[in-house]
Amino acid sequence: MIPTSGSYRLANVRLHRSLTPDLAAAFDQDGFALADITVADGKIADLAPHGRAVAQPDAIDLAGRIVLPCFVDCHTHIDKGHIWPRKPNPDGTFMGALNATGADRAARWSAEDVARRMDFSLRSAYAHGTKALRTHLDSVPPQEEISWPVFETMREKWRGRIDLQAACLLGIEGVRDKAWFERLAKRVAVAKGVLGVVTYMVPDLEELLDQVFAQAIEHGLDLDFHADETDDVAAISLKKIAEASLWNSFEGNILVGHCCSLARQPDLEVLDTLDKVAKARLAVVSLPMCNLYLQDRRNNGTTPRWRGVTLLHEMKARGIKVAVASDNTRDPFYAYGDLDMLEVYRMATRILHFDHPVGDWPRAVAATPAEVMRLDGAGTLAAGGSADFIVFKGRNWTELLSRPESDRIVVREGRAIERQLPDYAELDELMVG
Ligand SMILES: [Zn+2]
């Protein structure tokens, strides 16, 4: 249906206001407007309200199908992905996940093992329509020396298809070994990566955060935290990160993931934290599928009563940048998933109520993570931009979000890509033993 070369026009497509900043059209109450997209030489030559551009007799009429820009997935763990068959989570808890993953990493994460699982993950993400992805890389010794070179190779291999970023991942207690952490920060800087840690309420948290910020400033790195992935109301490291950022006058981008405990804390405490997060210009990413899986799992015969996600509505109302992302896929932190950002958006809509009204929530899987990741031109559709978009069957939100849309068409630089998902059997030999 999409021509393989030259220029063409897709007429009568449905575009969303939140992802087409330059389109001056009459949008309906769901945020959609009918439009015509003209593609030439891999770029969007023109984006106009339907019927407004000079008629083109061979235009392809898409009859009101939704077209979205390609997705941006800003929080994943493709170094962990797909180990589930050889290392399941014994009880579905966070501690179960941490211990199982640590054991598997120590025993099995050779460069070849990591590379093959990463490539599998990237092929899935690409087929589903993702064009940029940030992964965390477990960087506790000696894994950092194995995984960072693999990442650098993978980033080259995927250049032009998926814009790949990486952030190091270690518990904040690892920062206490100052000399080692300084070496790690230098290694991350050489790879043009992002400096990341997992914060816990350790007694010396503020001092350790200062060291993290000092290294980020020294090497000009952006920051990416895992914070408060727990129901413990005493977990307030999101606030501590905001305070440390203000205290250190940090000017780079900061993305904070999870922040689950915030949803359990008393209102006054929450308001104070959100004020500081807004003031420090932190961005927050929620990981709804992983949170739903791990949080409020008590293994005592009771039913979960909490959704696990953080306070995205309250954050967005204060101007805090908010995103949702995939997080883990088929590993002890989440038994399922396939790096399909439409699935993430569909689940987020249900878990986090991204509806009635939808407003500008679609930005959370495209434009906002692109800003956080400093990706110019990604996450929106505009004349002059790359013709990277996804054509769905759905013509409205209920059609789009009720079926998996497995037959979506992914267009990259003007051409429909081959959307073959990798076969699980490819990984079988990595799962034995
Ligand atoms: Zn994560």
Side-chain angles (χ1 to χ4, degrees), residues 75 77 226 258 327-328:
H75 182 129
H77 296 264
H226 279 70
H258 296 292
D327 211 6
N328 299 70

Side-chain angles (χ1 to χ4, degrees), residues 31 41 51 54 77-78 126 161 164 205 291-292 357 373 432:
D41 302 321
V54 181
H77 296 264
I78 62 173
Y126 180 68
R161 290 178 291 164
L164 189 57
L205 177 61
N291 290 162
L292 194 67
M373 290 170 66
V432 291

Side-chain angles (χ1 to χ4, degrees), residues 134-146:
R134 177 181 291 179
T135 183
H136 295 265
L137 295 178
D138 279 20
S139 295
V140 289
Q143 194 62 43
E144 79 281 29
E145 289 171 18
I146 299 168

Side-chain angles (χ1 to χ4, degrees), residues 199-216:
T199 51
Y200 301 107
M201 296 310 294
V202 290
D204 52 347
L205 177 61
E206 292 177 3
E207 198 184 316
L208 296 174
L209 280 172
D210 277 348
Q211 286 185 45
V212 172
F213 277 88
Q215 286 303 309

Side-chain angles (χ1 to χ4, degrees), residues 78 111-123 135 137 147-165:
I78 62 173
E112 198 211 339
D113 178 70
V114 173
R116 285 183 56 185
R117 289 184 295 97
M118 270 192 182
D119 193 68
F120 188 97
S121 287
L122 290 169
R123 280 186 280 154
T135 183
L137 295 178
S147 293
W148 280 89
V150 171
F151 156 72
E152 288 169 310
T153 305
M154 215 47 83
R155 180 173 53 189
E156 280 314 306
K157 183 179 171 190
W158 278 85
R159 194 177 291 282
R161 290 178 291 164
I162 290 183
D163 211 331
L164 189 57
Q165 292 187 357

